[in-house]
Amino acid sequence: MPDAILDDISHRRYNPLRGSWVLVSPHRTKRPWQGQQEAASKIELPKYDPSCYLCPGNKRAQGDVNPKYDRTFVFVNDYAAVKEQQAEYDPPDQDGSLASRLLRAESTTGKCYVITFSPDHNITLADMPAQTILPVIETWTKIYTSHLDPHSPLAKAAEPTTLPPSASNGNLPHQQYRYMQIFENKGQAMGCSNPHPHGQIWTTTSLPEEPSLELQNLQRYRREQGGCNLLEDYAKLESEKGERTVFENSSFWAGCPWWGTWPFEIMVIAKEHKRALVDFDQQNKEDLAEVIAEITRRYDNLFETSFPYSMGLHQAPLSGTNEEIEASHFHIHFYPPLLRSATVRKFLVGYEMMAEPQRDITPEQAAKRLRDCGGELYRRKLQ
């Protein structure tokens, strides 16, 4: 257990993955679960919604019609954040002027996809057993593999694959992309406008800020520790200690990280060095499906509501140096906003925006509560 005094005093915890700190104030909320109490919520949605642009057989905004899919379905986002083709931008010469130093911009292109997790409109990952989450992981792997740099060490480990016709639109990428971000925003609290279970995949020619920062620290740790992997070491440490563990199996540790910012933040980390999805064998994929099912079900059981979160996979870039690829380690972040109940949220404002992140409930307290939320999904008991 961490020093008992840390349960009573404000303190800062270091995040070696980002090289940053978080302020912890446990004395502010001794028993954070004794807040607002609400009745358990049901999902009052139909299995099929004729107005949903993600349901099988429905027409999307741009006029394309979805197939009558029965597992996952992938298509190029009709309103993509980045485009494959756009007007050329040539930055002004770096002439040393004030403007050239402070007013910088660069062109970024890419391709964005939407992936539905199920044909059913009225479920979430929390409702899905592991065997029905497995096709989602297989689809993630297929999309990632199809965008790999053929010169990457990962290309040798990857099984041959092609994009589903709905995702490729008959076209190969116009250029080699640097990074692929796979993520899900669940719930209106996280800006999700469509309840149909789905996630997104954005590929870009640039390396985004957050994975870039993590990759720098992963490389630094590997150099300083003689080839050891930061997250592999961390998962082993947490598995041994146990107090921040929520769930684990033979392939993955899942728990509330020592440095977590959000009240019930969870990281899923491969126990062995897995650089990306293409390094997984069949058992790894099945274990990941089990972990995702366990985590999302516990989230919903915690406040007996459809628990909102942003979830994202971090893994090796599609194209990079050997050092970058080998230092990468597959992990997933779950960032949920709820604090006390289904409607009482944690806001990162004021001090958090102007100084550094702050949390009240400790990761150890959060992990214990989530461990205790296992078992049957609460909604099934309401029927």
Side-chain angles (χ1 to χ4, degrees):
M1 295 291 291
D3 292 339
I5 194 173
L6 295 184
D7 288 334
D8 299 309
I9 65 169
S10 57
H11 61 281
R12 300 168 81 207
R13 298 194 184 193
Y14 181 66
N15 179 351
L17 195 56
R18 297 188 77 258
S20 60
W21 293 83
V22 57
L23 175 64
V24 185
S25 309
H27 58 284
R28 295 182 64 188
T29 312
K30 283 295 185 179
R31 301 190 69 188
W33 57 93
Q34 289 191 332
Q36 182 174 341
Q37 300 296 319
E38 296 158 343
S41 63
K42 296 182 180 180
I43 294 181
E44 304 290 349
L45 294 172
K47 185 174 182 179
Y48 166 76
D49 183 348
S51 65
C52 171
Y53 62 85
L54 296 179
C55 280
N58 287 1
K59 183 182 289 188
R60 299 203 304 276
Q62 298 294 330
D64 293 333
V65 177
N66 299 330
K68 298 281 189 176
Y69 65 93
D70 58 5
R71 297 211 302 177
T72 61
F73 169 54
V74 182
F75 61 92
V76 177
N77 197 322
D78 295 321
Y79 298 98
V82 288
K83 298 181 293 184
E84 288 191 279
Q85 294 178 303
Q86 61 186 9
E88 293 291 335
Y89 172 70
D90 293 320
D93 292 336
Q94 299 300 306
D95 56 7
S97 67
L98 194 59
S100 69
R101 294 200 301 271
L102 301 180
L103 307 180
R104 298 171 59 187
E106 64 180 19
S107 175
T108 297
T109 57
K111 197 167 186 177
C112 299
Y113 303 92
V114 175
I115 169 175
T116 61
F117 300 153
S118 168
D120 295 342
H121 184 75
N122 61 344
I123 67 171
T124 69
L125 287 174
D127 298 279
M128 297 168 62
Q131 62 266 29
T132 60
I133 295 176
L134 186 57
V136 177
I137 296 169
E138 291 171 340
T139 302
W140 286 341
T141 305
K142 195 171 188 178
I143 301 289
Y144 179 86
T145 302
S146 64
H147 287 72
L148 270 176
D149 184 341
H151 302 293
S152 169
L154 291 168
K156 299 177 182 178
E159 296 181 2
T161 188
T162 56
L163 281 172
S166 58
S168 66
N169 283 354
N171 297 317
L172 294 174
H174 289 275
Q175 55 185 306
Q176 177 59 57
Y177 299 125
R178 177 85 157 100
Y179 194 77
M180 175 175 288
Q181 182 59 61
I182 301 172
F183 65 98
E184 178 199 8
N185 293 324
K186 179 192 173 191
Q188 292 184 351
M190 305 311 291
C192 184
S193 59
N194 190 321
H196 195 109
H198 72 284
Q200 298 187 57
I201 302 173
W202 293 11
T203 59
T204 55
T205 50
S206 56
L207 183 61
E209 190 80 9
E210 193 68 18
S212 175
L213 187 59
E214 289 188 354
L215 189 52
Q216 292 173 36
N217 284 289
L218 287 168
Q219 291 177 274
R220 181 179 298 111
Y221 186 91
R222 190 166 182 263
R223 290 193 300 267
E224 293 176 351
Q225 302 302 322
C228 295
N229 184 278
L230 190 159
L231 287 178
E232 187 177 2
D233 285 353
Y234 179 68
K236 179 181 178 181
L237 177 66
E238 289 288 26
S239 181
E240 292 172 351
K241 287 185 170 296
E243 65 260 30
R244 284 172 294 279
T245 300
V246 174
F247 180 80
E248 64 180 313
N249 54 30
S250 61
S251 302
F252 297 93
W253 175 85
C256 301
W258 168 264
W259 55 76
T261 297
W262 295 96
F264 294 97
E265 179 178 329
I266 282 180
M267 279 187 73
V268 177
I269 305 173
K271 289 184 174 180
E272 297 180 351
H273 187 205
K274 303 293 182 181
R275 301 164 296 180
L277 286 163
V278 295
D279 284 337
F280 292 178
D281 60 24
Q282 187 60 30
Q283 186 61 56
N284 296 149
K285 294 176 183 177
E286 293 175 4
D287 284 350
L288 182 58
E290 181 186 34
V291 168
I292 292 174
E294 289 285 344
I295 294 306
T296 54
R297 188 170 67 250
R298 279 173 163 81
Y299 271 160
D300 278 21
N301 284 347
L302 181 63
F303 296 130
E304 297 189 328
T305 191
S306 185
F307 202 90
Y309 58 74
S310 280
M311 175 267 285
L313 282 60
H314 281 176
Q315 56 188 324
L318 297 170
S319 180
T321 66
N322 285 350
E323 184 184 9
E324 288 177 332
I325 301 300
E326 295 307 318
S328 297
H329 190 90
F330 180 90
H331 60 286
I332 302 177
H333 295 282
F334 282 87
Y335 296 149
L338 297 187
L339 173 61
R340 292 179 180 271
S341 72
T343 59
V344 177
R345 287 184 275 167
K346 165 70 175 179
F347 293 96
L348 296 184
V349 297
Y351 187 87
E352 292 90 348
M353 294 178 69
M354 306 299 171
E356 68 184 12
Q358 182 271 340
R359 62 178 294 148
D360 299 336
I361 180 175
T362 67
E364 295 76 33
Q365 292 169 326
K368 182 180 185 306
R369 295 192 60 198
L370 288 167
R371 282 196 300 270
D372 295 341
C373 286
E376 186 179 13
L377 183 65
Y378 80 93
R379 284 191 289 277
R380 297 186 183 132
K381 302 174 186 178
L382 301 178
Q383 302 173 2

